[in-house]
Amino acid sequence: RLVDGLLARGYVVVEDVLDAGAARAARHEAESCGAQLKPTLQALTGTRSDRVGWFGAADLAANGCPTLARLAWLQRGIAAAINSDG
């Protein structure tokens, strides 16, 4: 179960979610779309010392980042699967 790894280690690795081509496209989009995207900065601090910004899938899609948008939607799906696996 996915949740077992999450509880034991604090993270899970889901194999074969992203192929090499999608990873390259996501990296390219992240590098080229960065200036036009405005992240929602995480207000809660304590577990991390760096600043964390979040992008919604709709914002990514609207700003020409279709691969990143697909990954954002996929991330929500994986989170839902982990939550229901408990």
Side-chain angles (χ1 to χ4, degrees):
R1 293 178 334 151
L2 292 172
V3 75
D4 293 335
L6 184 61
L7 293 172
R9 294 181 300 277
Y11 64 91
V12 293
V13 175
V14 181
E15 299 289 338
D16 300 321
V17 170
L18 193 62
D19 64 31
R24 280 190 299 277
R27 176 173 288 181
H28 174 73
E29 286 176 16
E31 290 170 347
S32 64
C33 293
Q36 62 211 48
L37 294 171
K38 303 290 184 248
T40 300
L41 295 177
Q42 181 171 318
L44 183 63
T45 60
T47 57
R48 298 178 62 123
S49 60
D50 57 343
R51 293 181 63 185
V52 177
W54 300 97
F55 300 101
D59 291 333
L60 291 165
N63 283 284
C65 300
T67 305
L68 291 174
R70 184 173 60 86
L71 293 176
W73 281 308
L74 179 62
Q75 178 187 18
R76 287 189 177 200
I78 291 171
I82 290 170
N83 288 333
S84 69
D85 191 30

